[in-house]
Amino acid sequence: MRDFKGAVKDFESLYNLTPNFIDAPWGEDIDFVRGEAFYGLKEYQKAIAHFNKSIENQGEEWVDIQSYVYLGICESNLGRFDKAIYFYKRAINRSEYACEAHFGLAQVYKKIGETEKAKEHISKAEEYFKYKRNDPYNEFLNEIYRKDILTFKNNLEA
């Protein structure tokens, strides 16, 4: 439904009802879903704060690697490409098959003029596409599609 403002309001209400407890609506860390809501609102600074809090809540070994991917996207959208690269690489260090992170890295490397690195990571995004996170009932906010990868790859090679 993409009612991000309503979602933020609901998450804030839930958070306030249970102080000193880390909630998990829909089985997700509350700060992760709050980060997604702020990402959907394009409030990247707030999204970053919540994704970082989610990493703190869950711990480095247990956090959803999509937290790092979202951090990379947010930092890239704010023009902080060094930070974006750092977070995408953290996702890849957790799983080399994180095609979303490879796709994000390819985009950043293209923006900063490092075409060979962009080609390397778009190829990996294509290779690992079969491992992308998938839910037949929901489209993720940062979901990528094979067409996105192939279009980007073709534009790099043109």
Side-chain angles (χ1 to χ4, degrees):
M1 293 191 291
R2 309 288 192 211
D3 177 13
F4 302 118
K5 288 182 182 179
V8 167
K9 184 179 174 186
D10 290 346
F11 296 141
E12 293 299 321
S13 294
L14 177 60
Y15 186 78
N16 291 330
L17 284 172
T18 55
N20 305 319
F21 183 77
I22 300 171
D23 295 297
W26 305 289
E28 298 276 2
D29 175 70
I30 192 164
D31 284 298
F32 180 81
V33 293
R34 285 164 55 173
E36 283 187 309
F38 283 114
Y39 170 79
L41 291 169
K42 296 181 175 28
E43 293 186 33
Y44 301 122
Q45 284 299 133
K46 289 181 181 178
I48 288 167
H50 286 291
F51 289 125
N52 279 322
K53 182 71 174 159
S54 180
I55 293 167
E56 181 184 319
N57 292 346
Q58 301 300 304
E60 294 282 331
E61 296 301 314
W62 296 101
V63 71
D64 186 328
I65 64 168
Q66 292 300 320
S67 294
Y68 296 121
V69 173
Y70 275 120
L71 283 164
I73 294 169
C74 290
E75 294 291 359
S76 179
N77 287 338
L78 293 171
R80 300 189 297 223
F81 302 124
D82 288 345
K83 286 185 176 185
I85 291 167
Y86 169 78
F87 285 117
Y88 287 133
K89 285 183 175 182
R90 285 187 75 181
I92 292 167
N93 284 339
R94 293 281 314 280
S95 173
E96 70 179 285
Y97 304 109
C99 68
E100 298 89 351
H102 286 291
F103 185 64
L105 267 176
Q107 291 174 313
V108 170
Y109 283 134
K110 181 181 179 191
K111 286 177 185 174
I112 63 173
E114 293 191 36
T115 307
E116 289 307 311
K117 287 183 179 180
K119 287 179 181 179
E120 173 189 340
H121 285 284
I122 200 63
S123 292
K124 287 182 180 183
E126 183 179 20
E127 178 183 354
Y128 299 142
F129 182 77
K130 61 188 168 206
Y131 299 109
K132 81 176 193 120
R133 71 180 182 154
N134 192 23
D135 182 335
Y137 302 106
N138 296 303
E139 178 181 38
F140 295 105
L141 295 178
N142 67 334
E143 189 150 356
I144 60 172
Y145 300 93
R146 186 172 301 281
K147 180 181 176 186
D148 300 328
I149 293 170
L150 295 176
T151 299
F152 186 88
K153 186 176 182 179
N154 290 336
N155 288 337
L156 271 178
E157 294 172 356

